[in-house]
Amino acid sequence: MLDLRFIRKNPEFVQDALNRRGMDLSIQEFLQLDEERRSVIQDVEELRRQRNQASEEVARLKKNGEDASEQIDQLSRVSDRIKELEAKKKDREERLREIRLAIPNIPQEDVPTGDSDEDNIEVRRWGELPSFGFEPKPHWELGPELGGLDFERAAKITGSRFAVYWSWAARLERALINFMLELQTQQNGYTEILPPFIVNSESMQGTGQLPKFEEDLFKLEDWDYYLIPTAEVPLINLHMNEVIPEDDLPLAYTAFTPCFRSEAGSYGKDTKGLIRQHQFNKVELVRFTRPEDSKEQLEILLGHAEAVLRELELPYRVVTLCTGDLGFSASKTYDVEIWLPGQNAFREISSCSNCGDFQARRAGIRYKPRDAKGSELLHTLNGSGMAVGRTLLAILENNQQEDGSVLIPKALRPYMGGMERIEPTTGAGRA
RNA sequence: GGAGAGGUGGCCGAGUUGGACGAAGGCGCGCGAUUGGAAAUCGCGUGUGCCGGCAGAACCGGCACCGAGGGUUCGAAUCCCUCCCUCUCCGCCA
């Protein structure tokens, strides 16, 4: 959510930012409603001032046992008028709020203008792309062949876009989760959180999923509850309507959670394998910072995300999202893209965003500057560190051997009971 | 799920026969006085949002806010309704 006064004073700037994002939303209506709202407020408050004054008069008359029926009669009419104007004011405010909740964040100046992911800018690459003396397989072949990933039975017990993990795969997923959490908590200073996986609509609005993206969410029937699409939602809303002392900043939280997404509108995309699931695991990173620190903090956050892939020795690249590819709440986003030999392409595995004060304003998250009175909105950042399923699939594809086995990254072996390699026999025992 | 109690300012806590300003009092916090310094004591101050004055800040004026929303009334923290949350007891349950 943007600052009301900011929009009012910089309408061209806001309109331009919306256009850069490729939105055809016009803020004309917004400005009109804002004007009307302020005009009504002035009228209503003037009437209220009169009423307050006259009410005191009535009170005094009654106290002295005098007759006040004339004044009461008059006041009755004033009150009716106030009610009318209140209704108008409420209407304008609601419409204004609706619009404001639907306006995305303003991209930072250094975000490249563009229409789609093709206009994203590559920042850097890390690691060497593996070369194979054979045709590398995609994970949706490797996984089932090694007896670890089972998409058919998942489709039976639930439906499409779900997976059953057997034996080594289940253990590998769990190992990755532990590895990531240990890295972020022990080396990068994050506090581990285990939040609810179900949140209410207020939280969803706080981080920006609602009201615009309801169709992407799973909602519990007859409840104002939703399955979280990312741990960012519960983590950011931990501090909803709170004021945090400056000395406590930056706050850094990490959490492992499953994530649930309806993937509405992505029919036919990534139908094979683990890439796009309705339920997937993710270790999330979130930071609350002072406004003046958030740009630097985004680089730090990105570094923490990258550390995961470096430790696992998986090749990746970092791209800056262009305005057209930027998420609703973000002012700037880096995507980390992992190399997938099975698809001969880089695919997103982490997204690290600076949301500025956009979420803080929606969720009412402020900080108290050390040497100032009052409080100010702080800045929020979030990033994946990492999407676990995609990391697992990247290991399968990058570390596959000609004999059909897969090498387990060294950093992960302690979490796998010392296991060094996944072989077809590793998963033996299941049908 | 059943029965009961309660939600007031940073905190504690008055107010519950509707009418005296954000609302007694205490604590905390800030400034000042006192002191060689400190404690104690005394004095003053101490919320947020919105609208207007202003380019903006400070400041000034106004309006709103006593869990949320609605209602009754000339007027509600105080009365009525709905919802949310907390606590206690019972039941059920991993």
Side-chain angles (χ1 to χ4, degrees):
Chain A
M1 193 155 61
L2 304 181
D3 181 29
L4 194 65
R5 277 179 233 187
F6 181 82
I7 303 176
R8 193 146 70 215
K9 281 176 189 140
N10 309 281
E12 325 75 23
F13 181 86
V14 173
Q15 185 66 65
D16 180 58
L18 292 179
N19 295 342
R20 282 218 296 151
R21 270 179 173 270
M23 291 197 61
D24 57 357
L25 196 141
S26 161
I27 61 167
Q28 244 350 89
E29 189 194 356
F30 178 92
L31 294 172
Q32 171 71 29
L33 286 169
D34 180 51
E35 192 100 347
E36 290 179 18
R37 166 177 164 269
R38 284 186 292 159
S39 159
V40 181
I41 284 177
Q42 284 175 44
D43 293 347
V44 109
E45 290 193 348
E46 170 58 22
L47 285 178
R48 264 209 278 251
R49 193 183 62 76
Q50 289 173 16
R51 186 180 69 182
N52 289 345
Q53 232 167 35
S55 265
E56 280 176 41
E57 177 72 11
V58 170
R60 213 182 56 235
L61 288 174
K62 287 210 156 185
K63 207 171 180 181
N64 297 338
E66 295 174 47
D67 178 53
S69 51
E70 191 182 321
Q71 282 83 350
I72 288 178
D73 211 51
Q74 250 176 1
L75 275 178
S76 173
R77 283 195 297 277
V78 173
S79 283
D80 286 347
R81 179 69 184 140
I82 288 177
K83 244 169 220 176
E84 270 174 50
L85 291 177
E86 290 264 79
K88 184 174 175 186
K89 170 172 164 246
K90 193 175 168 189
D91 170 75
R92 298 303 186 275
E93 286 183 335
E94 275 171 9
R95 284 161 65 185
L96 222 37
R97 183 172 168 73
E98 269 173 44
I99 295 177
R100 209 147 70 104
L101 283 172
I103 297 178
N105 204 352
I106 292 176
Q108 274 177 34
E109 324 73 58
D110 59 345
V111 171
T113 299
D115 299 326
S116 71
D117 56 0
E118 288 172 27
D119 300 310
N120 296 341
I121 307 285
E122 184 171 311
V123 178
R124 62 174 158 270
R125 292 191 178 205
W126 185 92
E128 268 191 39
L129 305 192
S131 54
F132 301 90
F134 59 97
E135 184 65 29
K137 293 178 177 174
H139 71 278
W140 56 81
E141 289 177 13
L142 282 164
E145 281 171 16
L146 289 165
L149 297 180
D150 183 351
F151 299 103
E152 288 170 18
R153 286 197 175 86
K156 187 169 64 180
I157 59 181
T158 307
S160 65
R161 294 200 191 286
F162 285 88
V164 175
Y165 289 58
W166 294 78
S167 63
W168 63 263
R171 191 181 195 188
L172 187 57
E173 181 91 358
R174 180 161 50 86
L176 279 167
I177 293 164
N178 281 329
F179 161 74
M180 291 173 187
L181 286 174
E182 287 295 305
L183 174 65
Q184 303 304 356
T185 58
Q186 303 310 305
Q187 286 182 42
N188 294 334
Y190 286 81
T191 301
E192 185 175 348
I193 308 282
L194 182 59
F197 304 157
I198 297 176
V199 300
N200 58 31
S201 58
E202 198 182 348
S203 293
M204 286 295 187
Q205 191 171 94
T207 31
Q209 280 73 23
L210 290 180
K212 277 196 82 177
F213 307 101
E214 172 135 32
E215 69 277 10
D216 296 335
L217 303 170
F218 284 111
K219 185 176 196 295
L220 301 201
E221 199 170 6
D222 298 329
W223 291 76
D224 182 39
Y225 287 171
Y226 297 80
L227 300 183
I228 56 170
T230 159
E232 170 196 348
V233 179
L235 290 184
I236 293 289
N237 285 294
L238 273 178
H239 292 299
M240 179 198 298
N241 297 135
E242 289 185 14
V243 179
I244 295 161
E246 179 177 358
D247 290 341
D248 290 354
L249 300 178
L251 292 172
Y253 298 148
T254 185
F256 150 70
T257 72
C259 303
F260 304 90
R261 299 184 182 179
S262 75
E263 295 298 343
S266 62
Y267 305 110
K269 249 193 268 178
D270 300 314
T271 51
K272 285 183 181 172
L274 285 180
I275 294 266
R276 195 175 297 275
Q277 299 270 293
H278 286 308
Q279 171 188 325
F280 63 96
N281 294 317
K282 183 155 62 69
V283 169
E284 183 75 359
L285 306 173
V286 148
R287 300 178 79 82
F288 297 82
T289 78
R290 301 188 304 177
E292 60 266 40
D293 297 336
S294 69
K295 289 183 182 174
E296 179 193 356
Q297 288 281 323
L298 178 61
E299 304 299 325
I300 292 172
L301 176 69
L302 174 62
H304 294 153
E306 289 183 62
V308 174
L309 299 185
R310 295 188 185 207
E311 291 276 320
L312 294 175
E313 301 176 271
L314 294 168
Y316 67 88
R317 67 173 186 174
V318 176
V319 302
T320 303
L321 296 196
C322 72
T323 52
D325 209 19
L326 205 56
F328 181 73
S329 300
S331 64
K332 179 174 182 175
T333 297
Y334 291 115
D335 270 8
V336 178
E337 299 183 339
I338 189 94
W339 175 251
L340 297 184
Q343 301 184 36
N344 202 43
F346 284 101
R347 296 298 307 261
E348 176 189 342
I349 192 168
S350 168
S351 196
C352 299
S353 302
N354 181 359
C355 293
D357 63 12
F358 188 84
Q359 293 181 324
R361 185 171 293 108
R362 287 177 162 240
I365 309 175
R366 318 178 69 86
Y367 80 103
K368 165 81 177 63
R370 201 179 300 111
D371 301 316
K373 49 195 170 304
S375 59
E376 290 177 34
L377 294 172
L378 48 68
H379 282 195
T380 61
L381 302 94
N382 69 82
S384 3
M386 299 267 137
V388 182
R390 289 188 181 182
T391 306
L392 184 143
L393 114 226
I395 290 172
L396 294 186
E397 295 199 7
N398 280 283
N399 294 7
Q400 59 182 299
Q401 307 297 307
E402 187 153 21
D403 64 3
S405 68
V406 172
L407 285 178
I408 295 173
K410 289 189 190 69
L412 224 45
R413 291 177 190 170
Y415 298 90
M416 290 291 287
M419 190 189 295
E420 294 179 5
R421 183 187 291 267
I422 301 159
E423 296 181 82
T425 52
T426 313
R430 80 147 181 99

